[in-house]
Amino acid sequence: MTKEQTPELPGALGAEQAADLPYQQSALDAALAVAQAAAVVAAVLGAAGLSGWILGIDVLRRAPGADATMSANTAVAVLALGVSLFLVAHRCVTPWMITVSRAAAALAAVIGGLTAVEYVTGVGLGIDELLFRDDTVRVATDVPGRMAPNTAPALLLGGVAALCASTSRLPAWTSQVPGLAVLTLGMLRLYGLVYGVPELERFGAYQGMALYTGLALVLLGIAAFLARPDRGPAALLMNAGTTGALGRRLLATVLVVPPLLGWLVLAGEDAALFGTRLGTALLVCGHVTVFTAVIFSVLVVGRRIEVAHARAEWQVRQNELLQAFMDHTPAVMFIKDLDGRFLAVNTTFEESLGLSRERVLGRRDRDVMPPGLARQARAADLAMLARGVPVQREERLVLPGGPRDFLTSLFPLKTPSGRPYAACGVVTDITERVAAQREVRRANRRFLALLESAPDATLITDDRGIVVMANAQVQRLFGHAATDLLGTDLVDLVPGPRRRRHSALLHAYLRQADPKPIVLDQGLYGLDGDGGEFPVEVSLSSLEADEEMLVFLTVRDITERRQTEAERAERYEEHRRIAYTLQHSLMGEPSRLPYLPSAHRYLASVQDPGVGGDWFDVIPLDRARTGIVVGDVMGRGLEAAAVMGQLRAASHALARTGIPPSRLMTGLDAFVGDLADQLVTCVYLVIDQSAHEVTLCSAGHPPVIARPPGGPARRLQAPVGVPLGVNDPCGGGVPFRQTTQPLPPGTTLALYTDGLVERPGTDIEAQIDILAHTLNDALKGTPTDPDSLDQAAERLMTALVPATAAHDDDVTLLLIGLPEPDRKDSRSARAGPGVDGTDGP
């Protein structure tokens, strides 16, 4: 078969249709074989007749017992037609074969045509005895050397059929219809022989057709009809489907049964078994019986055709669904037959190649793809078919738009018996996925490089504490190689007695709803390769990866840090004792007056080793008067403590002179002015127990709280001056003013520094109110004795400084109580200054 003779294939085939392809090809091959065999036998008959003329052998020219002889021209024409049709029916037709075939067919057509002209016109053209002189004429009307009048048109039609069969551009019926005509003319000669009817051999008194010629015409008609079995009427007959089988059965019945029944009837009549009328009736009855059986067999086949048609419709629907599925699939999909022809493709395939489906179906890879890509695709198909199993591979192809990565899946389509009949492929563009995977691999390499470059031992565990990754630093720390730790429990790196606590800490961390990164360095220990334990600091963080919780642990040996911290703590404690001694010596021990009960609290800032700038002092002045001073040097540490010590000494000395509070503040202000960059708040008051009043002066200090015997606690209203050190030492500053207010017996005074009431983010006035309310509640219903005042001081400190370990400012609180006077207490008050050895008035 030539390339032009390749049968057109459907756009999509079902399994049954595709499975019929090998059988269809086998039927076509068989038809071509029959055509070639018929052409060869006809050519042999022609060659035998020509040999008889050449050698003078009569049996080669005329069948024994026959009258008609195959003429020399008929033998040449039959030989030429046999050769021509043999070449046309060849599977692989080459150009020279087509040329020879056409020349031979033209020769036969010319011989038959010229002879027909001679019969029609009655004019001899001198071709009858062109090759040989004819000495076989037995009838007076015969022309020597001329073929029979029914042979000439048969040879002409045979030449036309062979010429049309060798031209693929012409429809198939142009060769097959003349071939059937040639077959019919040959069959008439054979029927005339079988039925003994001379009228079928000759026309009138003309020379009859030779038996060899009739047999040759039958064979040439068959060869001409089957030379192109894939197209035209022959394709219907040679179809591998049900219709083809039905057609072949009917044709065999028509060609065999009527001639056989007619021969039997004639034989019966000749033998005088029955007359003509009975013979005709028997002939009709035989035909009815045979064709009734044929009809029922046709009905059976028709039913099969209906079922097959329903299946075909279902298969067409399935094919449509398959094509729709393929067209809506983003991947490239195709189906090829075993020869590499495309049977079906999807829309993505068309878009990728820029070719319409009509230009792809029925063609091979090399017809629609670049040469290199076509070879690669065909080699992949053959390798998959050879293995007989699905194959999947990733490959990088260079396309017009640039290189792309593809995932190709190839698998065979098989018949129910397991024989492959087609190859299916799915090609998915995975360029973005490959790029993402490549980036993930780069990220993994960077992560591993980062993990290995970490200075500390780093381990990654799952949510059960099993080590899944570790860097090389774990060997230096724990004495185990990183690969040896994979799959082991993290607690194996912890000393045995401490494993339960470490495991509890890890699981408590993992049980949190949203674990945050934390650093733990208290009570954690590691186990080195020699079995010794060492303190560690562990940084923990978590990560959700692929629905799995991973824990990152960075472990650091803090043995040196613990030693350094211990040394630092020892030095700090030593410094704190020195500072405390210094602070105590600078502040001194305030006077304890039996007639004036008091309680005090002092809290140093946590940022300094127990020293600060707060101070207070209780100064006996005379029999009925007592001076109270509370001050706060701005700043912290030893410098503030040194200034505080000077101011305490100065205030005590000035107060002992008996000067009023305002003048004492003026003197202190001048003293602070001589100190560089110092700022001090201070309040000084003088309690006159005999007059039941208090005189006070404030230099920017928080107000004094007074709680009368019946409550409630209130602020003592007093003019507030500027802090000490603000005024110009040369004069002209803001003067300090004092005020005198009544102070009934049983009153409690609260003096304090701003560290007690000042907090970041709070209102100091609100804190002072809290102080007043707390003092009022603490002293409600209690006498103003030292024990009650001490409990009240503790309650005030707890309420206003709840977190003493984190307090960052000095705090001083002084509570002074004025007891109710009675006779005994009055005598003690008058004799007080001289009783405990303090200075008198």
Side-chain angles (χ1 to χ4, degrees), residues 456-457 459 490 501-522 524 536-543 550-556 561:
D456 297 320
L459 300 103
L490 181 66
R501 179 175 181 273
H502 285 63
S503 180
L505 288 174
L506 178 61
H507 288 86
Y509 175 77
L510 292 175
R511 282 194 299 270
Q512 299 180 22
D514 184 18
K516 302 296 183 182
I518 60 172
V519 178
L520 303 175
D521 61 353
Q522 298 297 323
L524 300 182
V536 295
E537 175 189 87
V538 181
S539 299
L540 290 95
S541 60
S542 62
L543 173 66
L550 295 179
V551 182
F552 289 76
L553 300 99
T554 300
V555 185
R556 177 178 298 176
R561 184 200 301 178

Side-chain angles (χ1 to χ4, degrees), residues 653-699:
L654 289 174
R656 295 293 287 183
T657 62
I659 62 176
S662 60
R663 289 182 59 191
L664 183 141
M665 286 297 180
T666 302
L668 290 179
D669 186 42
F671 182 83
V672 174
D674 293 337
L675 303 176
D677 300 325
Q678 293 294 333
L679 191 65
V680 181
T681 65
C682 183
V683 61
Y684 176 62
L685 53 87
V686 176
I687 299 175
D688 191 338
Q689 292 177 245
S690 61
H692 305 296
E693 63 184 14
V694 59
T695 302
L696 71 155
C697 180
S698 175

Side-chain angles (χ1 to χ4, degrees), residues 89-271:
H90 201 274
R91 289 179 176 82
C92 299
V93 181
T94 60
W96 71 266
M97 296 171 65
I98 294 177
T99 302
V100 173
S101 172
R102 290 175 178 175
L107 175 62
V110 168
I111 293 174
L114 291 177
T115 305
V117 170
E118 288 181 330
Y119 277 113
V120 172
T121 62
V123 177
L125 300 178
I127 64 171
D128 298 326
E129 293 182 308
L130 182 62
L131 298 178
F132 301 97
R133 184 175 180 81
D134 186 5
D135 58 355
T136 63
V137 176
R138 298 181 181 181
V139 183
T141 57
D142 291 346
V143 178
R146 183 175 294 181
M147 66 183 67
N150 52 348
T151 302
L155 295 177
L156 176 61
L157 291 174
V160 171
L163 285 172
C164 294
S166 64
T167 306
S168 61
R169 292 188 298 273
L170 294 177
W173 64 266
T174 58
S175 63
Q176 294 170 358
V177 172
L180 291 176
V182 174
L183 174 63
T184 302
L185 292 173
M187 289 296 295
L188 288 175
R189 174 65 183 86
L190 298 180
Y191 286 158
L193 173 65
V194 172
Y195 295 129
V197 182
E199 292 79 6
L200 295 179
E201 300 179 13
R202 67 176 68 242
F203 292 97
Y206 294 101
Q207 180 176 341
M209 181 185 295
L211 181 59
Y212 290 155
T213 302
L215 183 58
L217 290 179
V218 171
L219 296 174
L220 291 174
I222 294 174
F225 183 77
L226 297 178
R228 298 171 69 179
D230 57 331
R231 300 183 184 180
L236 297 176
L237 187 64
M238 301 309 299
N239 180 23
T242 308
T243 56
L246 179 60
R248 290 190 293 273
R249 292 178 183 179
L250 290 176
L251 182 61
T253 303
V254 170
L255 293 178
V256 174
V257 173
L260 180 60
L261 290 177
W263 180 81
L264 290 174
V265 170
L266 289 177
E269 291 177 352
D270 292 341

Side-chain angles (χ1 to χ4, degrees), residues 282-293:
L282 291 175
L283 180 63
V284 172
C285 181
H287 279 81
V288 169
T289 302
V290 171
F291 282 103
T292 300

Side-chain angles (χ1 to χ4, degrees), residues 610-681:
V611 295
D614 289 4
W615 89 92
F616 68 92
D617 198 3
V618 178
I619 309 168
L621 300 178
D622 54 28
R623 289 173 178 249
R625 293 189 312 138
T626 305
I628 309 295
V629 61
V630 175
D632 184 5
V633 178
M634 300 302 173
R636 300 185 181 90
L638 293 175
E639 182 179 359
V643 175
M644 176 272 294
Q646 298 179 55
L647 287 175
R648 183 180 185 282
S651 62
H652 191 91
L654 289 174
R656 295 293 287 183
T657 62
I659 62 176
S662 60
R663 289 182 59 191
L664 183 141
M665 286 297 180
T666 302
L668 290 179
D669 186 42
F671 182 83
V672 174
D674 293 337
L675 303 176
D677 300 325
Q678 293 294 333
L679 191 65
V680 181
T681 65

Side-chain angles (χ1 to χ4, degrees), residues 747-826:
T747 300
T748 301
L749 299 178
L751 296 89
Y752 52 93
T753 57
D754 59 0
L756 183 66
V757 295
E758 191 174 26
R759 298 284 183 280
T762 59
D763 185 5
I764 191 172
E765 297 296 327
Q767 292 294 105
I768 294 175
D769 291 339
I770 293 174
L771 172 63
H773 292 315
T774 305
L775 178 65
N776 190 64
D777 294 341
L779 296 177
K780 182 180 296 185
T782 61
T784 55
D785 55 22
D787 293 336
S788 299
L789 294 179
D790 192 73
Q791 294 175 4
E794 187 64 27
R795 184 170 177 180
L796 289 175
M797 291 294 292
T798 302
L800 295 171
V801 189
T804 58
H807 197 64
D808 61 351
D809 196 6
D810 302 332
V811 176
T812 296
L813 172 65
L814 177 63
L815 297 181
I816 301 294
L818 279 70
E820 294 288 343
D822 53 33
R823 187 175 303 171
K824 181 179 179 180
D825 289 343
S826 297

